[in-house]
Amino acid sequence: MTTTARSAASDVKNLSLAAEGRRRTEWAERSMPVLRLIRERFTRERPLAGRRLSACLHVTTETANLAVTLQAGGADVALCGSNPLSTQDDVAAHLVKDHGIKVFAIKGEDHASYYEHIRAALAHRPDITMDDGADLVGALHMVALNRLDDLAPPVRRWVETLSGADRQALVAGVAGSTEETTTGVIRLKAMARDGVLQFPVIAVNDSDTKHLFDNRYGTGQSTLDGILRATNLLVAGSTVVVAGYGWCGRGFALRARGAGANVIVTEIDPLKALEAQMDGYRVLPMAEAARVGDVFVTLTGNTHVIRVEHMRAMKDGAVLANSGHFNVEIDLDGLRQAAQGPTRVREFVDEWRLGGRRIFVLADGRLINLAAAEGHPASVMDMSFANQALAAEHVVKHARELTKDVHRIPRELDAEIARLKLAAMGVAIDTLTPEQQKYLASWEMGT
Ligand SMILES: NC(=O)c1ccc[n+]([C@@H]2O[C@H](COP(=O)([O-])OP(=O)(O)OC[C@H]3O[C@@H](n4cnc5c(N)ncnc54)[C@H](O)[C@@H]3O)[C@@H](O)[C@H]2O)c1
């Protein structure tokens, strides 16, 4: 590991970056008024006092504001990255140096370092875990189910040093967990369905104030931002193929169209495909879209959505990017076998030669918005992380009643976050009159 600031309590790139991380984190904080209100209440009430919390999140300026909020609530926080390319090294340094938070994350870390950092977060012996993609919870469950061969080597080697009782205590010590993203929630629901989930999990992604805004407007804007920072391509007049018309896909399609692209959507769900068609996009199977697209972006949460057979049909110079959680949406292993390359032609841009044509893959197929840009704007993460902070508090308050299942935070809290966000934006709305309340509750009245 090539780090200059490694200790038992942290592993970050360079502590001297802390001042810049602090400046950027404070800038993000200005756009996070809802989280600020929660932090002020947490400081007074200390709902997480005495709790050890391990978080596996993208280490960005917004996450820094969440970590500080959790710490203000009394939690002893350890943070590792949820993607090898998404860490902002200056922010990691700031959290360690200015807040004494244990951070294990370095931008560009290799596979072994990534899992060594997950190990460090587990070794914090959390009462609460907070995931973005279920990597922490996934590892804990491999320990619970004694499937040590399924653990990445750095985690497995450490778990093997623990006694049976110690391993049990590691899992039993977790009162509950929270999950940030669609992909993680899908994995957790599968665990619950198979009856193996060991503790309750709050699916933060299922809150309306999360996926309706973060996935749609956050991913929409920041994905375009990532592609532009990586390539500086002109969007106007180009053909952009959007794979997946879920929350993220809708947001990105909207922004690509707004920037002047001709947008094509690919889908596997008839309802979503119909929605895309009626929203005015062209809907095609990937095999056909491959022939006409200039830029391809996957936002499905699925695997091998763009395969070599598609890449062979693409135009010379096609650009491929992914903004789904894992780097499996573009079949890079297949590309590696079929093509020559890569040649790094620009930061975050790899050129591959396939049948005499060039294919450009951005950021190794990892989340382009976090790898090449800065992730979502703080204003939208304000709501996502307000949900995270309230979800952690909910786990602590209700650990005994919550079943070992995937839950959402109560709808009243979700609505309260929306109310606070509107208030912070200076947007007022109407309230029901008594007559309207009665009308909406009655069934007798007609025309
Ligand atoms: N980049 C980011 O910062 C960011 C933010 C939020 C979520 N995500 C991730 O983005 C992914 C999508 O999230 P979402 O909330 O939009 O999910 P979603 O479930 O709302 O949408 C996914 C869509 O992809 C479609 N799909 C599945 N397989 C497909 C295929 N082979 N071809 C075409 N379409 C296919 C599904 O039918 C669905 O409509 C997830 O992995 C999620 O974790 C990333």
Side-chain angles (χ1 to χ4, degrees), residues 181-184 186 205 210-211 214-215 219 222-223 243-250 266-269 272 299-303 305 323-326 329 367 369-370 376:
T181 197
T182 316
T183 285
I186 290 171
N205 189 69
K210 201 283 182 178
H211 64 264
D214 166 319
N215 301 29
T219 313
S222 61
T223 299
Y245 201 62
W247 294 110
C248 295
R250 284 181 186 104
T266 73
E267 251 298 342
I268 45 97
D269 179 331
K272 303 277 179 57
L299 305 108
T300 71
N302 205 343
T303 188
V305 176
S323 210
H325 188 76
F326 286 119
E329 305 211 11
L367 296 156
N369 60 334
L370 282 141
H376 296 0

Side-chain angles (χ1 to χ4, degrees), residues 175 200-202 394-396 398-405 407:
V201 182
I202 310 295
H394 190 69
V395 164
V396 169
H398 300 282
R400 287 217 182 86
E401 319 84 273
L402 286 169
T403 53
K404 292 178 181 173
D405 207 339
H407 305 266

Side-chain angles (χ1 to χ4, degrees), residues 108-170:
E109 60 197 2
D110 61 16
H111 187 264
S113 305
Y114 178 77
Y115 280 100
E116 167 55 24
H117 291 156
I118 298 245
R119 182 210 65 77
L122 292 174
H124 186 55
R125 311 257 172 181
D127 305 295
I128 307 167
T129 66
M130 197 169 268
D131 259 315
D132 186 335
D135 278 347
L136 278 183
V137 165
L140 280 167
H141 279 73
M142 293 310 168
V143 176
L145 302 173
N146 205 24
R147 285 174 50 180
L148 302 196
D149 287 345
D150 290 320
L151 288 169
V155 184
R156 190 186 65 229
R157 281 195 295 274
W158 172 68
V159 173
E160 280 168 353
T161 66
L162 304 177
S163 68
D166 221 5
R167 290 179 204 175
Q168 267 187 357
L170 178 68

Side-chain angles (χ1 to χ4, degrees), residues 184-416:
V185 172
I186 290 171
R187 291 167 93 183
L188 292 160
K189 285 185 177 162
M191 284 172 165
R193 210 171 41 242
D194 289 350
V196 296
L197 197 62
Q198 304 288 315
F199 38 76
V201 182
I202 310 295
V204 163
N205 189 69
D206 288 359
S207 294
D208 289 341
T209 48
K210 201 283 182 178
H211 64 264
L212 286 174
F213 302 93
D214 166 319
N215 301 29
R216 184 163 38 172
Y217 301 111
T219 313
Q221 179 173 311
S222 61
T223 299
L224 187 62
D225 183 21
I227 293 168
L228 294 182
R229 289 200 207 189
T231 63
N232 199 26
L233 284 176
L234 181 69
V235 182
S238 67
T239 298
V240 173
V241 178
V242 181
Y245 201 62
W247 294 110
C248 295
R250 284 181 186 104
F252 175 64
L254 198 64
R255 293 295 163 253
R257 179 157 70 183
N262 299 302
V263 176
I264 294 175
V265 169
T266 73
E267 251 298 342
I268 45 97
D269 179 331
L271 203 74
K272 303 277 179 57
L274 185 61
E275 189 183 349
Q277 179 74 22
M278 295 217 178
D279 284 347
Y281 302 109
R282 200 167 162 207
V283 177
L284 289 176
M286 184 57 83
E288 286 178 41
R291 288 202 284 270
V292 287
D294 299 306
V295 178
F296 295 78
V297 185
T298 51
L299 305 108
T300 71
N302 205 343
T303 188
H304 293 180
V305 176
I306 297 182
R307 298 182 289 278
V308 175
E309 73 217 52
H310 302 131
M311 299 179 209
R312 287 192 192 285
M314 287 177 186
K315 296 195 277 192
D316 180 39
V319 171
L320 275 57
N322 167 54
S323 210
H325 188 76
F326 286 119
N327 59 336
V328 296
E329 305 211 11
I330 302 169
D331 180 10
L332 289 176
D333 287 337
L335 182 65
R336 239 169 250 128
Q337 281 167 25
Q340 288 88 49
T343 309
R344 176 75 32 118
V345 292
R346 193 179 149 99
E347 199 184 7
F348 303 117
V349 185
D350 280 344
E351 177 185 312
W352 293 85
R353 292 253 166 196
L354 183 65
R357 275 175 283 191
R358 292 162 306 162
I359 302 273
F360 297 104
V361 176
L362 307 189
D364 298 325
R366 294 193 186 275
L367 296 156
I368 186 65
N369 60 334
L370 282 141
E374 295 171 63
H376 296 0
S379 175
V380 88
M381 293 313 293
D382 188 26
M383 288 188 283
S384 305
F385 285 166
N387 273 283
Q388 282 286 12
L390 294 184
E393 182 181 32
H394 190 69
V395 164
V396 169
K397 272 195 186 152
H398 300 282
R400 287 217 182 86
E401 319 84 273
L402 286 169
T403 53
K404 292 178 181 173
D405 207 339
V406 180
H407 305 266
R408 50 175 292 166
I409 70 166
R411 284 185 186 276
E412 319 78 83
L413 293 181
D414 203 357
E416 178 63 7

